[in-house]
Amino acid sequence: MIFSSPLPDVDIPDVHLTPLVFRRADDLADEVAVIDGPSGRTVTYGQLRDSVALMAGGLAARGFGKGDVFAIMAPNIPEYATAFHGVASVGGINTTINPTYTAEEIEFQLRDSGARFLLTIPMFIEQATEAAGAAGVEEVFVFGEAPGATPFAALLKADPLAGFAEVDSREDLVALPYSSGTTGLPKGVMLTHQNLAANLAQGEHALEMEDREVIVAVLPFFHIYGMEILMNGVLYNGGTAVTMPRFDLEEFLRIIQEHRVTRAYVVPPIVLALAKHPLVDQFDLSSLRTVFSGAAPLGAELAAEASARIGCEVVQGYGLTETSPVTHATPPGQFRPGSIGVAISNTECRVVDPDGNDLGVGEDGEIWIRGPQVMKGYLNNPGATAATVDEDGWLH
């Protein structure tokens, strides 16, 4: 029994990811794209678009191009989008690293991904340079300045790149996040331009992000949820992202109040705080239209309690790094506590027993998913790929 999405199908873009994400940048050139939450510093769509072209030019001048891997290990700051899409513009691949990793964990990802360059912030420079040296990385860049690293600003001094590298959107990778998995070492998840482009388009009828919405970008951009929904998704839909380098409840609430945030994408511990923490009563959260939880299960009672307290729907969805990430979401007005919602557009799912036999409604089993957002596979790991995505395209 195959369950197809009840939402309308959408056209799946067969394009380079970056011009799709910046499809509205010319029309919104003077509008704010990203705000640095702690400082209030703003970056317009025009400034962001131009900085991406400059970085692409700087990378090209260094001989970095199609298929080369660039590692980003940084918290959420406005320049993260510049780095990610500067790399994408020249046909490069972004491998995003958790900044809390040890030097040994960083080294593993740098070595496994084959990263040529690494970008970080001064706070993490010690473990970054140690890992980069051990992994054979050619050059370490840093936002700002730090000993042993090239300032990120040096990448913005070449002639801007005109246009974008030609890519095969179905085959060429743009992102290589690492999935922690449940056993063994993390695996590089190979996501193509079309995987990420598809998931942006598939959100049309499920996430329904409206024009000029303001989103608090608290979930880390190195993780697929933050990368695709809070960075790429906000820019794709012409909204404004207010970045937070780390979660602090009071700062989170202040940003919602001060910037009139309309939508918050969070994880269950933040929903718990919204439901129960006394600080919440000290802030005006009336601008919020939706709180969307993901990355872990959200209990029905907690969702309903938070919803009643802050006066908006608190819904959840489902996905994986391996599915770019969204496969299921709760469309506006379809809130049902405890449910992950419905399969999003162009997505099929099955629930099967351990032998692969389909199960009926109300029976517990393993979820199988098929759609254009399903990864190309695991890097350097054909065995794990074959065990996860079968010959018919079902991701188990």
Side-chain angles (χ1 to χ4, degrees), residues 19-45:
L20 181 71
V21 168
F22 285 89
R23 61 183 183 155
R24 303 192 59 193
D26 290 342
D27 294 337
L28 299 174
D30 296 326
E31 300 289 341
V32 175
V34 190
I35 301 171
D36 180 61
S39 70
R41 177 172 59 91
T42 63
V43 179
T44 67
Y45 272 88

Side-chain angles (χ1 to χ4, degrees), residues 13-81:
D14 183 10
V15 296
H16 190 297
L17 177 68
T18 296
L20 181 71
V21 168
F22 285 89
R23 61 183 183 155
R24 303 192 59 193
D26 290 342
D27 294 337
L28 299 174
D30 296 326
E31 300 289 341
V32 175
V34 190
I35 301 171
D36 180 61
S39 70
R41 177 172 59 91
T42 63
V43 179
T44 67
Y45 272 88
Q47 290 170 329
L48 185 55
R49 174 201 60 203
D50 293 347
S51 69
V52 167
L54 285 171
M55 180 176 172
L59 289 172
R62 279 173 159 77
F64 181 98
K66 188 173 179 180
D68 288 336
V69 178
F70 189 104
I72 306 175
M73 187 178 78
N76 290 8
I77 57 176
E79 288 74 21
Y80 205 111

Side-chain angles (χ1 to χ4, degrees), residues 1-196:
M1 184 184 296
I2 297 175
F3 298 93
S4 297
S5 174
L7 303 173
D9 276 354
V10 296
D11 292 331
I12 300 302
D14 183 10
V15 296
H16 190 297
L17 177 68
T18 296
L20 181 71
V21 168
F22 285 89
R23 61 183 183 155
R24 303 192 59 193
D26 290 342
D27 294 337
L28 299 174
D30 296 326
E31 300 289 341
V32 175
V34 190
I35 301 171
D36 180 61
S39 70
R41 177 172 59 91
T42 63
V43 179
T44 67
Y45 272 88
Q47 290 170 329
L48 185 55
R49 174 201 60 203
D50 293 347
S51 69
V52 167
L54 285 171
M55 180 176 172
L59 289 172
R62 279 173 159 77
F64 181 98
K66 188 173 179 180
D68 288 336
V69 178
F70 189 104
I72 306 175
M73 187 178 78
N76 290 8
I77 57 176
E79 288 74 21
Y80 205 111
T82 296
F84 185 96
H85 286 286
V87 171
S89 294
V90 297
I93 303 166
N94 291 279
T95 191
T96 51
I97 301 179
N98 185 337
T100 65
Y101 274 1
T102 64
E104 291 76 16
E105 290 170 319
I106 299 165
E107 180 192 343
F108 169 79
Q109 186 166 335
L110 292 173
R111 192 184 297 279
D112 190 65
S113 65
R116 285 186 60 188
F117 298 146
L118 169 63
L119 171 64
T120 189
I121 64 171
M123 182 186 297
F124 306 127
I125 196 65
E126 188 174 333
Q127 59 264 48
T129 51
E130 179 185 341
V137 168
E138 295 172 28
E139 191 169 6
V140 176
F141 297 92
V142 65
F143 291 115
E145 294 185 352
T150 304
F152 177 70
L155 278 172
L156 307 180
K157 292 181 177 176
D159 291 335
L161 186 75
F164 304 92
E166 287 190 14
V167 298
D168 181 337
S169 74
R170 300 184 185 197
E171 294 295 327
D172 292 335
L173 307 186
V174 68
L176 187 62
Y178 273 63
S179 173
S180 56
T182 52
T183 58
L185 292 167
K187 298 185 286 291
V189 178
M190 298 191 290
L191 299 177
T192 66
H193 285 260
Q194 187 174 82
N195 286 152
L196 296 192

Side-chain angles (χ1 to χ4, degrees), residues 75-394:
N76 290 8
I77 57 176
E79 288 74 21
Y80 205 111
T82 296
F84 185 96
H85 286 286
V87 171
S89 294
V90 297
I93 303 166
N94 291 279
T95 191
T96 51
I97 301 179
N98 185 337
T100 65
Y101 274 1
T102 64
E104 291 76 16
E105 290 170 319
I106 299 165
E107 180 192 343
F108 169 79
Q109 186 166 335
L110 292 173
R111 192 184 297 279
D112 190 65
S113 65
R116 285 186 60 188
F117 298 146
L118 169 63
L119 171 64
T120 189
I121 64 171
M123 182 186 297
F124 306 127
I125 196 65
E126 188 174 333
Q127 59 264 48
T129 51
E130 179 185 341
V137 168
E138 295 172 28
E139 191 169 6
V140 176
F141 297 92
V142 65
F143 291 115
E145 294 185 352
T150 304
F152 177 70
L155 278 172
L156 307 180
K157 292 181 177 176
D159 291 335
L161 186 75
F164 304 92
E166 287 190 14
V167 298
D168 181 337
S169 74
R170 300 184 185 197
E171 294 295 327
D172 292 335
L173 307 186
V174 68
L176 187 62
Y178 273 63
S179 173
S180 56
T182 52
T183 58
L185 292 167
K187 298 185 286 291
V189 178
M190 298 191 290
L191 299 177
T192 66
H193 285 260
Q194 187 174 82
N195 286 152
L196 296 192
N199 214 225
L200 294 175
Q202 288 173 293
E204 178 183 346
H205 301 293
L207 303 179
E208 290 191 5
M209 204 179 288
E210 297 176 12
D211 187 37
R212 306 304 301 134
E213 290 214 41
V214 182
I215 282 75
V216 54
V218 62
L219 304 176
F221 292 156
F222 71 77
H223 186 275
I224 189 65
Y225 186 178
M227 178 198 302
E228 181 73 341
I229 306 301
L230 302 184
M231 184 177 69
N232 291 334
V234 172
L235 297 172
Y236 171 81
N237 286 291
T240 299
V242 187
T243 59
M244 291 185 66
R246 64 181 183 85
F247 178 71
D248 173 85
L249 179 59
E250 188 169 0
E251 177 76 349
F252 176 75
L253 298 171
R254 179 194 67 78
I255 284 173
I256 293 174
Q257 175 179 281
E258 182 175 317
H259 296 284
R260 306 300 295 161
V261 168
T262 56
R263 210 177 281 251
Y265 292 90
V266 299
V267 289
I270 298 178
V271 178
L272 178 64
L274 291 173
K276 299 185 181 296
H277 202 286
L279 261 180
V280 173
D281 295 328
Q282 298 177 25
F283 292 85
D284 175 8
L285 308 184
S286 61
S287 61
L288 279 175
R289 294 205 290 268
T290 307
V291 172
F292 186 101
S293 181
L298 177 66
E301 289 184 7
L302 180 58
E305 184 179 353
S307 177
R309 186 181 191 195
I310 63 177
C312 73
E313 285 191 343
V314 177
V315 301
Q316 65 181 316
Y318 179 79
L320 309 89
T321 308
E322 291 85 348
T323 56
S324 307
V326 185
T327 65
H328 295 72
T330 304
Q334 297 186 29
F335 173 50
R336 197 172 94 192
S339 169
I340 60 169
V342 299
I344 64 172
S345 297
N346 304 64
T347 301
E348 299 173 301
C349 59
R350 296 162 65 186
V351 182
V352 304
D353 67 17
D355 296 320
N357 300 309
D358 286 302
L359 297 171
V361 173
E363 295 186 274
D364 296 337
E366 179 182 62
I367 298 178
W368 289 9
I369 297 158
R370 185 166 65 184
Q373 69 270 54
V374 170
M375 67 172 180
K376 185 176 179 179
Y378 292 118
L379 182 71
N380 305 325
N381 203 331
T385 300
T388 305
V389 183
D390 65 28
E391 293 180 351
D392 294 321
W394 291 102

